[in-house]
Amino acid sequence: MSEIDPSIAIYVEETRELLAELERGLLDLENDPSDMERVDACFRAMHTIKGGGAMFGFEEISRFTHDVETVLDRVRAGALPVTRELLTLTLAAKDHILALLEAPAEAGPDLREASDALLDSFAAFLPEAREEAAEAQASPSQQHPTATLDGETYACEAEPGPPSIYWVRFRPAPRILHSGNDPVRLLAECDGLGRARVLRHGPMPDLDAPDFDPEETYGVFDVIVRTPCGGNDLRDVFIFVDGDSDVLVERIHRGTLRDADLDELVRALAGLDAAPPEVVLDALSQALSAKLAFITEAKARVAEKTARLTGAEPSKQRQTAPSTAAASTTLRVDAARLDSVVNMAGELVILQSRLRQAVQARDLDAAAAVDEDLERLTDAMRDVALGLRMLPIGTVFSQFTRLLRDLSATLGKEVDFEARGGDTELDKTVIDRIKDPLVHILRNSLDHGVEPPDAREAAGKPRRGRITLSASHSGGNVVIAIVDDGRGIDVAAVRKKAVERGLLPADADVSEKEILEMIFAPGFSTAEKISDISGRGVGMDVVKRNIEALRGMVELESVLGQGTTVTIKLPLTLAIIDGFSVVVGGDSFIVPLVNLRGFQERFLAGETRTVENMERMGELIPVVSLRRLFDVPGDQPGYERVVVTEVEGEMVGFCVDKVVGRQQAVIKSLDDCYRHLKWISGTTINGDGSISLILDVPQLVRFVRGQEDSRLHAARASRTLTQ
Amino acid sequence: MELHQKREGDRLTLAISGKCTVEHAAALRAALLEAVSAGPKLGLDVSGVEEADVTFLQLLLATALTMEREGASLRRSGALCEAVRQAAHVSGFDQTPPLQTFFADEERDG
C-alpha cells in the first residue's frame, strides 16, 4: 500500500534533503573527524531514511541502509574511527540511496547488485556481523525457519499470500513468574515474529500500596502484530502459559499496514483492558475500517491526480511515478512567508469591501485612495509571492564540494574549495538550471586551471590550489563568481586555436577580452587531450547558452599564471521580465529588454519578404517581418519600426507597426497544447486585459541564421552551376 | 543486583545494576520505597542493568505512579542500557504514560 500513499512524495522529498545534509556532514567530517555532533547528525539522517524506507515500501533502501546505519552507530559509540576510507564509502552509499530512491520502480537486479557490493565493503566495518554470518553459513542445518517482510527477518515460516495483522491479548496469571515464565520474554518472542506494537494497561498498584506484591504480575498486554507468519506461530509463543494466563490471538486484517497505522490501532485499545474480547474486536474493527477507508480515498485521489498530470489512465500508471514527479513540483517554504501571503490576502479582502463602498457611494476620492493602497499591496504581494519560490543557492553548494573532492582525487590534484554566500536566494527554477553550467565551470577550473602540486610548487605557488565559488546580490541580479588560482588562460594559445578553427582571421586586430570570448564559441577547446572531466565537446558554448536561456550573462577574466575568474549574472526570478511592448496589426508582442539594443525605421515599397537585410551603423543586419512570420492579418504599412535585438553577438531586427513602450511582463507559460509553437516563450496579460505574446528572441535569431545559411548555400550552388 | 545511592544536595540518585529479576524484586521495592520517601527529586540510573524482567518494569511504573501522586516525576539519570530498553520496548512499558519521559531520548528504536 505504500505506493498509493500520498505521503510517499513527502518521504522522497525529505530523503533527498536528508541525503544532501548527510553529504554536507560527511564532507565537514573530513575536515574535522572529531566533530561528534556531525557524526550524530549523519547517523540520525541515515536512521530516518531507513525507518521511512521500511514504512513507505522502499524495501531495498531499508535493507541497504541498515548496515550503513550500524556502522555509523559504531562510529558514534567510539568503536570505529572516522577515516577517509569510511567517508568515501559512506558518500558512495549516499549516492546509491539516491539512485534507489529515484529508480522508477522496484529496485532492479543491477541496483541490488550494487547494494550488495557496497554492503560487502561495509562488512569490513562490521566484524561481528561477518563472524555471525560465517557461523550461520558453516552450520546451515541449525538454521531456524525465517520469513522476511519489509526488509526485516522474522523467526517463523512465512504463510503464502500477503502478511496479516493480528491482535494478541495476553493477561498473565499473577504468579506467572513462579512457573519460570517471564511475560517480557514471551512478548519479545512475539516481537520476533513480526512488527509488534504493545499497549500495557490495566491495574498497577502504587509502590507503597500494602497489597502490592512485587513478585506478581499486573495488567494486560494488548499487542498488534503485522506478520508474514500465521496465527499458530503466535499461539505457540504462549503454549506453556495458556491455561493459567489468558491468551487470545485473532487475525483482524489480511494485508499490510504501515507502522504508524499499527500505532493508531493499538492506541484505539486504550482503556479497554477490562473489556470483553468482542468489545475490543469491535473497537479494532471500527478503527481499521476508518483507516482502510482513508487509504482507499487517498489511493483514488493520487490516481486521479497522477492521471491529470500525465494524461494517462489511472490504471496504467507506474505506481511509484509520484516520487519523480514530486521532485520538480514540491518546494519547502518558510512558514513566515506563507503567513505574510495570508495576511496580505486578508488585506485584499478589506480593500475589496472598501472599494465596493466607494463605488456604491460613487465617491471617487475614496476609490482613488483604495487604488493607491491596492497598488502598494499588489507590489508587496508580488514580492512576497515571488519570494515563495526563492531558495538559498547553498542547497547546491555541498554537491560542488563533493564534486571537487572526488575530482581532485581522480586528477591527483590538491585543492581547497570554498563556497561563500550560500544564503543568497534565487528562484528554484534558476537554481535547478544553473547547476549544470556551474558543474562544468568548476570541472574546467580544476582540470584545466589548477596545476598538479609539483607544477604549482615549481611556479612558486602553494601545493594546494584554491577554487572559490561565491554568490551575492547585485541590483536585481545574483552574481556568481568562480575564481581559481591556477595557470590562467593562455590568450596566445586561444588566439592560435581560434585562427586554426577559422573563427578568427590570422591578422585580426582584437582585444584580449574578445579573444577570451572565443572560448564560448561552439566546439572550441584548448585542451590538449580530452579527459573524463572536461574537453568532451560539451563546451563552454553550452554553458553560455544555458545561462543566456536563464536571461543571464557570463564573463571571463584571466591572468596567465595567476588564475581565472568566471562571473555569471542571473536574474532573481524567471516569473517576471522587463520587456518592450510592440504592436503588429491587432496583435501585441513583448520583446525581452535583455535582448533589446535599439530601434530603427524603414520605409517599404512593393512586396516584402519574411527575412530581409537592413543597414545599421554601417553593417547589414537581417530583419524579420513579424507580420509575415506570424501571418498577421491586415495591410502592410509603408512605414515600419524595427526593433533591434542581439543574441550571442548577432544582431537581428524585428519589423513592427508600432512601439508602445516598456512593460513589466508577468510570464504566463503556454499550456501544453501550445508547446509546439515556435518563437513564443510565453504570454502576458496587459493592463487592458488583452494578451501579449512574449517573443523567444534566441529561437528567432536561430531561425534567421538558418534562413541566411540556406540562402548562402543556394547562392553558392547556383554559382557552381553557372561555372 | 547492586544498589548505590548518591546524594547531591536535595537530589538523590539510585544506581541499579546487575540482574534485576524476580528474585531481587522485594529488595528493589524496599530500596525504591526508601528513595521515594527521601524527597521528590529522585533519579534512577539503570545504565548498569544487565537483565530485566517484568517485575523490574512494574517497579519502575509503580515508582513513577507513586511519585506522580506526590506531584513529582521519576527522572532517568545516565544512559539507557540495551537490556532495559529492549525489555521496555517489547512489553509496551516504554509507551506507558508515566514512564514515557523516563524512556525517551533514545533515538534508535529498531
Side-chain angles (χ1 to χ4, degrees):
Chain A
M1 58 145 275
S2 53
E3 61 271 25
I4 54 159
D5 197 313
S7 49
I8 211 171
I10 298 172
Y11 168 72
V12 171
E13 193 63 20
E14 282 181 354
T15 303
R16 279 207 186 91
E17 286 172 18
L18 285 169
L19 288 172
E21 262 175 45
L22 178 70
E23 187 173 69
R24 272 196 296 276
L26 292 168
L27 292 168
D28 286 346
L29 274 175
E30 193 159 58
N31 294 328
D32 181 8
S34 63
D35 187 347
M36 290 319 280
E37 270 182 35
R38 288 258 175 255
V39 175
D40 279 347
C42 291
F43 169 80
R44 278 198 300 273
M46 206 50 103
H47 181 65
T48 312
I49 291 168
K50 186 189 99 168
M55 198 182 293
F56 293 106
F58 290 83
E59 288 176 19
E60 184 60 10
I61 290 186
S62 176
R63 180 185 82 95
F64 174 74
T65 322
H66 181 77
D67 278 1
V68 186
E69 181 205 15
T70 312
V71 168
L72 287 176
D73 195 31
R74 295 192 71 202
V75 175
R76 203 163 72 125
L80 272 179
V82 176
T83 59
R84 195 178 162 82
E85 186 199 355
L86 181 62
L87 289 176
T88 305
L89 198 57
T90 317
L91 282 168
K94 175 249 146 191
D95 292 345
H96 183 63
I97 296 169
L98 191 62
L100 288 172
L101 190 71
E102 289 178 349
E106 285 293 301
D110 290 354
L111 281 171
R112 280 183 171 270
E113 272 175 33
S115 299
D116 290 340
L118 275 168
L119 288 177
D120 276 351
S121 309
F122 273 105
F125 299 95
L126 293 166
E128 290 160 24
R130 210 160 46 172
E131 278 161 25
E132 271 172 29
E135 273 171 29
Q137 268 187 346
S139 55
S141 58
Q142 290 171 13
Q143 279 180 9
H144 298 289
T146 55
T148 53
L149 180 65
D150 297 341
E152 302 281 343
T153 305
Y154 299 116
C156 53
E157 258 176 65
E159 285 212 320
S164 294
I165 312 295
Y166 284 90
W167 166 52
V168 178
R169 167 156 280 192
F170 175 37
R171 192 189 300 272
R175 300 188 72 75
I176 187 173
L177 286 154
H178 292 263
S179 62
N181 288 303
D182 174 17
V184 169
R185 189 178 49 74
L186 296 173
L187 290 164
E189 271 183 51
C190 209
D191 189 68
L193 298 180
R195 183 57 63 100
R197 290 291 183 269
V198 188
L199 175 70
R200 189 262 162 226
H201 50 166
M204 183 70 232
D206 282 357
L207 191 64
D208 51 0
D211 57 345
F212 177 34
D213 179 351
E215 293 181 6
E216 284 196 354
T217 306
Y218 298 85
V220 179
F221 299 90
D222 274 319
V223 192
I224 302 290
V225 200
R226 180 187 63 212
T227 177
C229 316
N232 283 339
D233 289 303
L234 288 165
R235 284 183 198 99
D236 284 350
V237 170
F238 301 95
I239 198 163
F240 296 113
V241 297
D242 203 2
D244 293 338
S245 306
D246 291 338
V247 179
L248 187 71
V249 177
E250 290 279 344
R251 176 156 61 200
I252 56 167
H253 176 59
R254 186 179 267 279
T256 189
L257 285 178
R258 293 183 316 171
D259 291 6
D261 301 333
L262 301 183
D263 287 335
E264 275 183 44
L265 282 181
V266 89
R267 275 200 293 271
L269 300 177
L272 296 179
D273 57 291
E278 47 284 9
V279 174
V280 179
L281 280 170
D282 196 37
L284 280 172
S285 158
Q286 278 183 25
L288 195 62
S289 306
K291 181 62 33 202
L292 293 174
F294 175 77
I295 290 168
T296 314
E297 195 188 321
K299 181 179 177 179
R301 260 203 320 267
V302 172
E304 188 191 332
K305 191 175 171 189
T306 320
R308 220 172 37 233
L309 282 173
T310 59
E313 285 177 35
S315 58
K316 292 182 184 166
Q317 294 305 303
R318 259 189 105 85
Q319 293 196 314
T320 46
S323 61
T324 42
S328 52
T329 51
T330 61
L331 184 66
R332 291 204 162 213
V333 178
D334 183 3
R337 284 182 170 168
L338 284 179
D339 287 347
S340 21
V341 173
V342 174
N343 283 342
M344 285 174 178
E347 281 182 45
L348 205 57
V349 173
I350 297 167
L351 277 180
Q352 202 273 331
S353 62
R354 273 176 58 197
L355 184 63
R356 175 164 296 165
Q357 279 177 12
V359 170
Q360 279 168 352
R362 300 188 186 284
D363 183 347
L364 202 57
D365 289 344
V370 173
D371 175 47
E372 267 179 37
D373 289 347
L374 192 59
E375 189 182 1
R376 259 197 303 276
L377 183 65
T378 314
D379 281 355
M381 208 159 172
R382 184 198 62 204
D383 291 345
V384 174
L386 288 177
L388 295 178
R389 292 187 50 84
M390 293 295 189
L391 280 182
I393 196 168
T395 48
V396 290
F397 277 3
S398 69
Q399 295 173 24
F400 300 148
T401 314
R402 168 80 189 282
L403 174 87
L404 291 182
R405 172 195 187 271
D406 293 355
L407 277 188
S408 54
T410 313
L411 293 169
K413 294 184 177 180
E414 293 174 16
V415 68
D416 288 325
F417 174 65
E418 191 188 352
R420 291 189 213 138
D423 51 357
T424 309
E425 289 191 326
L426 259 176
D427 190 285
K428 183 181 187 302
T429 319
V430 181
I431 288 192
D432 287 345
R433 283 157 63 180
I434 196 63
K435 207 155 54 182
D436 288 345
L438 284 178
V439 164
H440 196 89
I441 295 169
L442 286 167
R443 281 178 159 173
N444 271 346
S445 293
L446 188 62
D447 196 17
H448 304 319
V450 176
E451 311 91 329
D454 293 343
R456 287 182 65 87
E457 229 166 27
K461 293 180 180 180
R463 279 181 72 81
R464 292 185 76 80
R466 184 166 195 81
I467 297 178
T468 312
L469 172 66
S470 61
S472 58
H473 283 293
S474 169
N477 294 311
V478 167
V479 179
I480 301 173
I482 299 107
V483 185
D484 71 63
D485 67 346
R487 57 170 74 93
I489 298 170
D490 185 349
V491 179
V494 174
R495 187 187 173 110
K496 190 168 155 243
K497 188 71 102 183
V499 173
E500 273 172 23
R501 296 273 160 95
L503 298 167
L504 193 71
D507 54 351
D509 179 21
V510 284
S511 68
E512 208 168 272
K513 193 173 166 55
E514 282 169 299
I515 293 173
L516 284 177
E517 283 284 310
M518 295 283 171
I519 286 174
F520 295 115
F524 187 95
S525 173
T526 58
E528 282 163 20
K529 59 175 182 185
I530 289 172
S531 68
D532 280 347
I533 287 95
S534 50
R536 286 179 298 182
V538 186
M540 293 291 275
D541 61 319
V542 179
V543 168
K544 188 174 187 196
R545 206 183 310 145
N546 287 350
I547 291 169
E548 283 180 346
L550 293 169
R551 304 202 319 271
M553 51 185 286
V554 56
E555 277 178 3
L556 199 64
E557 281 172 58
S558 183
V559 180
L560 192 61
Q562 288 184 26
T564 306
T565 302
V566 182
T567 311
I568 299 168
K569 260 190 201 169
L570 292 167
L572 280 174
T573 177
L574 297 180
I576 293 185
I577 59 163
D578 275 326
F580 225 90
S581 176
V582 296
V583 172
V584 183
D587 298 343
S588 71
F589 298 90
I590 300 284
V591 181
L593 214 56
V594 68
N595 301 116
L596 195 68
R597 292 297 173 269
F599 297 97
Q600 275 190 234
E601 51 188 19
R602 71 168 182 172
F603 293 92
L604 295 167
E607 187 80 0
T608 55
R609 293 201 308 269
T610 307
V611 182
E612 288 182 297
N613 286 313
M614 186 187 79
E615 190 265 334
R616 176 178 161 84
M617 295 182 183
E619 283 187 12
L620 275 183
I621 64 162
V623 292
V624 184
S625 165
L626 291 185
R627 176 181 293 281
R628 286 184 65 90
L629 190 69
F630 293 119
D631 277 335
V632 178
D635 294 333
Q636 170 74 51
Y639 164 80
E640 278 186 334
R641 302 294 300 266
V642 180
V643 183
V644 182
T645 63
E646 185 185 341
V647 174
E648 293 167 2
E650 277 184 69
M651 296 277 196
V652 172
F654 297 109
C655 307
V656 301
D657 293 357
K658 211 163 61 176
V659 172
V660 180
R662 201 170 157 168
Q663 181 179 332
Q664 204 175 53
V666 178
I667 303 174
K668 305 273 176 199
S669 48
L670 291 167
D671 194 77
D672 277 347
C673 56
Y674 297 117
R675 281 290 150 107
H676 64 283
L677 290 182
K678 287 185 287 185
W679 311 317
I680 302 294
S681 60
T683 63
T684 188
I685 296 170
N686 302 323
D688 61 0
S690 61
I691 290 173
S692 287
L693 300 175
I694 301 166
L695 294 179
D696 187 345
V697 178
Q699 281 285 352
L700 278 163
V701 168
R702 248 166 254 146
F703 158 73
V704 172
R705 195 190 292 149
Q707 292 275 307
E708 293 279 292
D709 286 351
S710 54
R711 217 162 53 189
L712 220 60
H713 282 304
R716 272 189 200 143
S718 67
R719 268 207 305 276
T720 319
L721 280 176
T722 20
Q723 281 166 3
Chain B
M1 183 186 71
E2 284 182 36
L3 299 166
H4 291 284
Q5 278 198 2
K6 198 169 84 179
R7 189 177 285 278
E8 280 173 35
D10 58 347
R11 295 174 83 103
L12 177 70
T13 304
L14 180 64
I16 309 164
S17 57
K19 206 173 159 190
C20 298
T21 44
V22 62
E23 55 272 32
H24 305 287
L28 182 58
R29 183 196 181 202
L32 286 167
L33 270 173
E34 187 194 331
V36 168
S37 61
K41 296 196 172 174
L42 172 63
L44 294 187
D45 180 353
V46 294
S47 60
V49 173
E50 287 161 12
E51 194 182 335
D53 67 7
V54 74
T55 60
F56 177 76
L57 296 167
Q58 287 185 161
L59 281 166
L60 288 185
L61 180 57
T63 310
L65 285 168
T66 308
M67 291 183 71
E68 253 185 27
R69 192 190 65 201
E70 305 292 331
S73 62
L74 181 62
R75 187 168 50 80
R76 192 181 88 222
S77 160
L80 199 56
C81 65
E82 188 56 22
V84 175
R85 191 197 71 78
Q86 182 66 11
H89 174 69
V90 299
S91 58
F93 274 90
D94 60 350
Q95 297 301 318
T96 312
L99 286 178
Q100 268 176 353
T101 320
F102 186 87
F103 286 111
D105 303 323
E106 285 297 313
E107 288 150 353
R108 234 183 146 184
D109 61 359

